[in-house]
């Protein structure tokens, strides 16, 4: 049985918080025991991170840090297959996804924020002074200090390094709390940190659950100077409360119930390809995924038919097999949650265009499978249409006018992402300007330029990361005013 330990002050250590099991979602089998961090382990990790700020790390120049960030990217790539196997084992996601998205982006995040910090500037202002002289203001960028990084399970390495890379680029130290479902790649990254010469204490990992456990110990720790979180909206609210003690800043990337809007003039084939991914990629476990689809009446039947066909086209099975295109969901608990929505849809008389149940995957009967599913016919206030399901499913509703589509799209407490499908640039601009979300894609989905602002509106988050926006969260700007 594999053992997964905490990584504190450059060493792999047992925690005092007991052990918990890690399941391979494809079979349900336990493949690892994870050593959970207790309060004293979290204290040790935060203490190590605080001390490291005063050690060699704190003395490094930006080019020296940048060189280390690039080595981290190379270090991940050098052990690509190990990261890949660890991510597949933890999540059950197919190799075709993890090898194209999770692991390459895990490495790329370090290179992107190395570039970003190298080219980052600060403002200077010359001013006139009352005595007829002048003064010069310039801002100096420094780290915030110890950053707590709390992560979800859907894109574990990608989403963790998306926060760790800019935090390190700005000279901070970090304590990471990966999801209890996916502890492996954050731990493996500890080995790479040591291999490339990141000073001890700069990167720490504590394992365990959230409330009353490692997550809460970390986010309420008085020596943590900032908290960055990706996960559910209700968890984000709890973390914000914890961070309010001591007035620590938070960056929150939270849940969504993202609309897709398809107009009559959309390119049918390209739209079906893109919206198919938006609904089903990663077994629907992408915060940016489309669970509400609004389709103009002229193209409605074709989209219903085409998307149902897409849903039926996935090959489910062994995630290590290159032919597999869809895996399980993350856990038995999450499968039950997704299936409870399938049941609610059925009970309310939804028309099921595809899926709606549990597939029979020979040889993998213990896995957490659910069928990719497409419904129509539910009211807009039905839980299937209002609540984040985080499964491979979507509900399609027809619309007639642009105004109606915008009203439907905005009728949600969430505001993370939207996609608009049209050949008309005017329509695209008008609608993009009015949908109340942080990220809108036109004729595409999850097309990422990591320099762009990323984050949610309304209940989908607080703050923006990406490019200079990440640097803003992870650095403290200090103004110096020199009387000349
Ligand atoms: P989650 O909120 O249940 O857990 C996320 C992390 O928070 C885990 O590490 C968990 O242990 C920890 N945690 C839970 N309660 C805590 C507490 N009280 N204090 C401190 N830590 C705590 O989320 P999840 O189920 O892992 O991930 C799925 C959710 O994440 C979905 O809602 C999805 O939309 C969201 N998500 C959002 C984005 C984004 O960029 N906006 C990206 C990915 C996932
Ligand atoms: O691409 C990213 O940087 C990012 N944060 C993606 C989030 C995906 C949510 O599941």
């Amino acid at each position: 049985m594999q053992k997964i330990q905490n990584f504190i002050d450059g060493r792999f250590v047992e925690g005092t918080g007991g052990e918990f099991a890690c399941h391979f979602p494809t079979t349900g089998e336990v493949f690892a025991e994870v050593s959970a961090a207790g309060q004293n382990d979290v204290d040790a990790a935060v203490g190590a991170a605080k001390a490291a700020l005063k050690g060699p790390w704190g003395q490094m120049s930006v080019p020296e840090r940048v060189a280390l960030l690039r080595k981290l990217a190379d270090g991940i790539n050098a052990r690509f297959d190990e990261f890949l196997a660890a991510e597949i084992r933890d999540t059950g996601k197919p190799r075709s996804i993890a090898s194209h998205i999770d692991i390459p982006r895990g490495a790329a995040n370090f290179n992107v924020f190395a570039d970003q910090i190298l080219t980052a500037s600060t403002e200077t202002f010359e001013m006139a002074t009352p005595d007829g002289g002048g003064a010069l203001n310039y801002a100096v960028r420094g780290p915030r200090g110890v950053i707590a990084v709390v992560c979800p399970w859907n894109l574990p390495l990608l989403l963790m390094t998306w926060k760790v890379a800019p935090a390190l680029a700005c000279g901070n130290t970090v304590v990471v709390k990966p999801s209890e479902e996916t502890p492996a790649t954050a731990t493996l990254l500890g080995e790479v940190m040591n291999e490339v010469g990141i000073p001890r204490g700069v990167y720490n990992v504590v394992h365990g659950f959230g409330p009353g456990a490692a997550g809460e110990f970390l986010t309420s720790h008085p020596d943590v100077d900032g908290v960055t979180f990706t996960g559910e909206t209700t968890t984000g609210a709890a973390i914000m409360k914890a961070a309010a003690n001591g007035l620590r800043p938070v960056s929150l990337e939270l849940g969504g119930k993202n609309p897709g809007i398809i107009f009559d003039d959309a390119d049918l084939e390209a739209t079906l390809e893109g919206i198919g991914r938006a609904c089903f990629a990663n077994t629907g476990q992408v915060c940016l995924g489309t669970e509400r689809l609004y389709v103009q009446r002229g193209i409605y039947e074709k989209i219903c038919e085409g998307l149902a066909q897409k849903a039926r086209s996935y090959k489910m099975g062994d995630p290590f097999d290159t032919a597999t295109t869809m895996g399980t969901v993350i856990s038995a608990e999450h499968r039950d949650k997704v299936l409870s929505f399938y049941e609610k849809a059925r009970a309310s008389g939804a028309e099921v265009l595809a899926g709606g149940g549990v597939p029979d995957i020979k040889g993998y009967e213990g896995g957490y499978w659910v069928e990719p599913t497409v419904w129509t016919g539910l009211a807009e206030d039905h839980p299937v249409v209002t609540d984040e399901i985080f499964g491979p499913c979507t509900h399609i509703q027809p619309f007639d006018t642009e105004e109606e589509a915008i009203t439907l799209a905005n009728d949600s407490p969430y505001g993370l992402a939207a996609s608009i499908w049209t050949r008309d640039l005017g329509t695209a601009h008008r609608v993009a300007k009015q949908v109340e979300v942080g990220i809108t894609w036109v004729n595409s989905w999850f097309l990422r330029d990591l320099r762009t602002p990323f984050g949610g509106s309304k209940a989908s988050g607080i703050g923006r990361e990406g490019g200079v926006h990440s640097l803003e969260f992870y650095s403290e700007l200090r103004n110096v005013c020199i009387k000349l």
Side-chain angles (χ1 to χ4, degrees):
M1 178 77 55
Q2 192 187 334
K3 291 270 180 205
I4 296 182
Q5 293 181 307
N6 301 281
F7 183 70
I8 298 175
D9 206 15
R11 283 185 295 271
F12 289 95
V13 292
E14 287 292 300
T16 56
E19 289 207 326
F20 62 94
C22 225
H23 297 83
F24 180 34
T26 312
T27 60
E29 284 161 5
V30 175
F31 71 94
E33 291 291 344
V34 187
S35 175
Q39 178 72 62
N40 54 335
D41 305 309
V42 174
D43 289 348
V46 174
K50 194 174 174 181
L53 289 166
K54 302 265 180 254
W57 180 250
Q59 307 306 316
M60 272 183 206
S61 64
V62 167
E64 284 170 326
R65 285 205 305 270
V66 162
L68 281 175
L69 292 178
R70 296 209 193 286
K71 282 188 182 172
L72 284 171
D74 293 345
I76 293 173
N77 284 328
R79 298 179 67 175
F80 193 94
D81 289 345
E82 277 176 83
F83 276 96
L84 184 62
E87 204 73 300
I88 293 173
R89 187 66 68 178
D90 266 0
T91 60
K93 67 175 71 194
R95 179 186 286 272
S96 52
I97 293 182
S99 65
H100 284 104
I101 299 177
D102 298 70
I103 313 305
R105 257 297 297 280
N109 285 335
F110 285 105
N111 278 328
V112 163
F113 287 104
D115 292 344
Q116 200 68 55
I117 196 70
L118 207 51
T119 54
S121 59
T122 56
E123 291 172 317
T124 62
F125 292 101
E126 272 188 68
M127 66 182 284
T129 51
D131 62 3
L136 178 68
N137 293 275
Y138 63 92
V140 181
R141 186 184 296 283
R144 276 195 189 280
V146 177
I147 305 291
V149 182
V150 183
C151 310
W153 44 258
N154 60 326
L155 298 160
L157 182 72
L158 184 160
L159 291 174
M160 187 262 291
T161 52
W162 169 244
K163 311 281 201 174
V164 168
L168 298 191
C170 295
N172 300 279
T173 58
V174 298
V175 181
V176 175
K177 212 298 280 172
S179 167
E180 55 275 22
E181 307 286 356
T182 53
T185 46
T187 312
L188 194 50
L189 189 61
E191 290 184 22
V192 177
M193 293 277 166
N194 283 346
E195 280 163 14
V196 307
I198 296 284
R200 64 193 180 87
V202 171
Y203 174 83
N204 305 273
V205 181
V206 291
H207 291 299
F209 293 81
E216 193 178 324
F217 301 153
L218 178 61
T219 51
S220 55
H221 200 289
D223 286 338
V224 161
D225 302 300
V227 182
T228 182
F229 170 75
T230 306
E232 279 187 15
T233 295
T234 50
T235 314
I239 284 178
M240 200 170 168
K241 280 191 193 131
N245 270 334
L247 289 178
R248 277 83 50 77
V250 290
S251 173
L252 303 176
E253 294 180 357
L254 308 177
K257 187 73 182 177
N258 310 302
I261 305 173
I262 303 178
F263 287 91
D264 281 345
D265 68 342
D267 175 328
L268 182 63
E269 204 179 314
T271 301
L272 280 172
E273 193 282 323
I275 205 71
R277 282 193 303 113
C279 296
F280 306 126
N282 209 36
T283 321
Q285 303 166 118
V286 182
C287 61
L288 310 157
T290 303
E291 290 189 353
R292 300 185 287 145
L293 196 49
Y294 300 109
V295 184
Q296 207 162 19
R297 217 167 288 273
I299 198 174
Y300 178 74
E301 292 300 334
K302 286 195 175 114
I303 292 288
C304 286
E305 200 179 299
L307 198 61
Q309 248 177 44
K310 278 260 172 247
R312 287 189 285 265
S313 71
Y314 285 92
K315 180 168 180 330
M316 302 175 95
D318 177 5
F320 287 95
D321 182 342
T322 48
T324 298
T325 53
M326 186 177 285
T328 60
V329 295
I330 190 72
S331 63
E333 190 190 357
H334 191 53
R335 175 200 54 201
D336 294 348
K337 176 186 162 187
V338 173
L339 290 179
S340 76
F341 282 96
Y342 285 23
E343 174 52 27
K344 280 182 194 141
R346 197 200 56 76
S348 303
E351 187 183 348
V352 184
L353 301 180
V358 177
D360 181 16
I361 310 295
K362 292 275 176 283
Y364 299 96
E365 286 78 5
Y368 314 133
W369 304 102
V370 296
E371 282 181 332
T373 294
V374 183
W375 304 280
T376 62
L378 292 172
E380 279 294 295
D381 61 355
H382 191 280
V384 160
V385 187
T386 58
D387 298 0
E388 184 184 52
I389 302 172
F390 222 54
C393 52
T394 201
H395 179 263
I396 313 185
Q397 191 79 271
F399 71 86
D400 293 298
T401 66
E402 186 178 308
E403 292 68 32
E404 191 189 349
I406 293 167
T407 304
L408 287 164
N410 286 342
D411 187 16
S412 168
Y414 292 107
L416 186 54
S419 64
I420 300 165
W421 304 84
T422 176
R423 285 179 161 119
D424 186 308
L425 257 186
T427 307
H429 274 302
R430 277 193 308 276
V431 179
K433 205 170 164 191
Q434 292 176 79
V435 282
E436 297 160 352
V437 297
I439 308 138
T440 300
W441 280 287
V442 175
N443 296 329
S444 66
W445 176 77
F446 206 174
L447 183 58
R448 295 282 287 117
D449 180 327
L450 305 186
R451 298 167 298 183
T452 58
F454 183 94
S457 308
K458 304 198 276 190
S460 291
I462 293 186
R464 294 290 180 270
E465 297 200 36
V468 292
H469 310 282
S470 295
L471 301 191
E472 268 171 33
F473 179 72
Y474 296 105
S475 42
E476 190 81 45
L477 289 179
R478 300 194 171 88
N479 191 64
V480 179
C481 177
I482 303 182
K483 174 93 166 63
L484 301 172

Short mmCIF file of all heavy atoms in Angstrom, two decimals, residues 73 78 102 104 151 154 164 190 192 225 265 268-269 365 367 431 449 464 469 473:
data_model
loop_
_atom_site.label_atom_id
_atom_site.label_comp_id
_atom_site.label_asym_id
_atom_site.label_seq_id
_atom_site.Cartn_x
_atom_site.Cartn_y
_atom_site.Cartn_z
N ALA A 73 9.40 23.84 -13.59
CA ALA A 73 8.66 23.42 -14.80
C ALA A 73 9.39 22.24 -15.45
O ALA A 73 8.78 21.22 -15.79
CB ALA A 73 8.54 24.59 -15.78
N ALA A 78 10.30 16.47 -16.51
CA ALA A 78 11.24 15.34 -16.45
C ALA A 78 10.58 14.12 -15.81
O ALA A 78 10.97 12.99 -16.08
CB ALA A 78 12.49 15.75 -15.67
N ASP A 102 -3.83 18.53 -17.54
CA ASP A 102 -3.39 18.68 -16.14
C ASP A 102 -1.87 18.82 -15.98
O ASP A 102 -1.39 19.75 -15.33
CB ASP A 102 -3.86 17.47 -15.32
CG ASP A 102 -5.37 17.37 -15.30
OD1 ASP A 102 -5.96 17.04 -16.35
OD2 ASP A 102 -5.98 17.61 -14.25
N PRO A 104 0.77 19.09 -18.35
CA PRO A 104 1.45 20.19 -19.06
C PRO A 104 1.16 21.56 -18.44
O PRO A 104 2.07 22.38 -18.30
CB PRO A 104 0.86 20.11 -20.48
CG PRO A 104 0.33 18.74 -20.61
CD PRO A 104 -0.07 18.28 -19.26
N CYS A 151 -6.97 23.71 -2.10
CA CYS A 151 -7.27 23.28 -3.48
C CYS A 151 -8.39 22.23 -3.55
O CYS A 151 -8.57 21.43 -2.63
CB CYS A 151 -6.04 22.65 -4.10
SG CYS A 151 -4.58 23.64 -3.93
N ASN A 154 -10.63 18.55 -8.78
CA ASN A 154 -10.99 18.27 -10.17
C ASN A 154 -9.83 18.41 -11.15
O ASN A 154 -9.76 17.68 -12.14
CB ASN A 154 -12.19 19.12 -10.61
CG ASN A 154 -11.95 20.59 -10.49
OD1 ASN A 154 -11.25 21.06 -9.60
ND2 ASN A 154 -12.53 21.36 -11.40
N VAL A 164 0.45 28.37 -6.60
CA VAL A 164 1.80 28.28 -6.02
C VAL A 164 2.80 29.03 -6.89
O VAL A 164 3.69 29.73 -6.37
CB VAL A 164 2.21 26.79 -5.85
CG1 VAL A 164 3.69 26.65 -5.52
CG2 VAL A 164 1.37 26.14 -4.74
N GLY A 190 6.72 18.09 -3.92
CA GLY A 190 7.70 18.30 -2.85
C GLY A 190 9.05 17.71 -3.23
O GLY A 190 10.10 18.33 -3.00
N VAL A 192 10.20 17.31 -6.25
CA VAL A 192 10.78 18.16 -7.29
C VAL A 192 11.35 19.43 -6.67
O VAL A 192 12.42 19.92 -7.07
CB VAL A 192 9.73 18.47 -8.39
CG1 VAL A 192 10.31 19.41 -9.44
CG2 VAL A 192 9.23 17.19 -9.04
N ASP A 225 -0.54 34.89 6.06
CA ASP A 225 -0.72 36.30 5.67
C ASP A 225 -1.70 36.49 4.51
O ASP A 225 -2.06 37.62 4.19
CB ASP A 225 0.65 36.88 5.27
CG ASP A 225 1.65 36.79 6.41
OD1 ASP A 225 1.38 37.36 7.47
OD2 ASP A 225 2.68 36.09 6.25
N ASP A 265 -27.45 31.29 -35.98
CA ASP A 265 -26.45 31.39 -37.04
C ASP A 265 -25.14 30.69 -36.68
O ASP A 265 -24.15 30.79 -37.42
CB ASP A 265 -26.17 32.87 -37.37
CG ASP A 265 -25.47 33.58 -36.23
OD1 ASP A 265 -25.51 33.07 -35.08
OD2 ASP A 265 -24.87 34.63 -36.47
N LEU A 268 -22.80 24.86 -36.85
CA LEU A 268 -23.37 23.71 -36.12
C LEU A 268 -22.29 22.72 -35.67
O LEU A 268 -22.21 22.33 -34.50
CB LEU A 268 -24.42 23.01 -36.98
CG LEU A 268 -25.12 21.83 -36.30
CD1 LEU A 268 -25.90 22.26 -35.08
CD2 LEU A 268 -26.02 21.10 -37.29
N GLU A 269 -21.42 22.37 -36.60
CA GLU A 269 -20.42 21.32 -36.29
C GLU A 269 -19.45 21.81 -35.22
O GLU A 269 -19.18 21.12 -34.23
CB GLU A 269 -19.67 20.96 -37.57
CG GLU A 269 -19.08 19.57 -37.53
CD GLU A 269 -18.36 19.26 -38.83
OE1 GLU A 269 -18.95 19.53 -39.91
OE2 GLU A 269 -17.24 18.78 -38.74
N GLU A 365 -16.79 -2.62 -12.16
CA GLU A 365 -18.13 -2.47 -11.56
C GLU A 365 -18.09 -1.64 -10.27
O GLU A 365 -19.08 -1.04 -9.89
CB GLU A 365 -18.74 -3.85 -11.28
CG GLU A 365 -19.23 -4.59 -12.53
CD GLU A 365 -18.10 -5.26 -13.33
OE1 GLU A 365 -16.94 -5.22 -12.87
OE2 GLU A 365 -18.39 -5.79 -14.43
N GLY A 367 -16.44 1.06 -9.81
CA GLY A 367 -16.10 2.46 -10.08
C GLY A 367 -17.30 3.40 -9.94
O GLY A 367 -18.44 2.97 -9.91
N VAL A 431 -23.85 40.53 -26.37
CA VAL A 431 -24.20 39.54 -25.34
C VAL A 431 -23.04 39.42 -24.34
O VAL A 431 -23.26 39.40 -23.12
CB VAL A 431 -24.56 38.18 -25.98
CG1 VAL A 431 -24.89 37.15 -24.91
CG2 VAL A 431 -25.75 38.34 -26.92
N ASP A 449 -5.51 31.92 -22.09
CA ASP A 449 -4.27 32.69 -22.15
C ASP A 449 -4.03 33.09 -20.70
O ASP A 449 -4.84 33.81 -20.10
CB ASP A 449 -4.48 33.92 -23.05
CG ASP A 449 -3.22 34.76 -23.16
OD1 ASP A 449 -2.45 34.83 -22.17
OD2 ASP A 449 -2.99 35.36 -24.23
N ARG A 464 -9.46 38.48 -8.94
CA ARG A 464 -9.03 37.93 -10.23
C ARG A 464 -7.59 37.48 -10.10
O ARG A 464 -6.78 38.14 -9.47
CB ARG A 464 -9.09 39.01 -11.33
CG ARG A 464 -10.51 39.50 -11.64
CD ARG A 464 -11.32 38.41 -12.34
NE ARG A 464 -12.67 38.85 -12.66
CZ ARG A 464 -13.72 38.70 -11.85
NH1 ARG A 464 -13.58 38.15 -10.65
NH2 ARG A 464 -14.92 39.11 -12.21
N HIS A 469 -2.69 40.20 -12.56
CA HIS A 469 -3.70 40.14 -11.49
C HIS A 469 -3.25 39.20 -10.38
O HIS A 469 -3.51 39.44 -9.20
CB HIS A 469 -5.05 39.73 -12.07
CG HIS A 469 -5.40 40.56 -13.27
ND1 HIS A 469 -5.89 41.84 -13.16
CD2 HIS A 469 -5.25 40.31 -14.59
CE1 HIS A 469 -6.04 42.34 -14.38
NE2 HIS A 469 -5.68 41.44 -15.25
N PHE A 473 -2.34 40.05 -6.21
CA PHE A 473 -2.78 39.39 -4.98
C PHE A 473 -1.58 38.90 -4.16
O PHE A 473 -1.58 38.97 -2.94
CB PHE A 473 -3.72 38.20 -5.28
CG PHE A 473 -4.13 37.51 -4.00
CD1 PHE A 473 -5.02 38.13 -3.12
CD2 PHE A 473 -3.59 36.28 -3.64
CE1 PHE A 473 -5.37 37.53 -1.91
CE2 PHE A 473 -3.95 35.68 -2.43
CZ PHE A 473 -4.84 36.30 -1.57
#
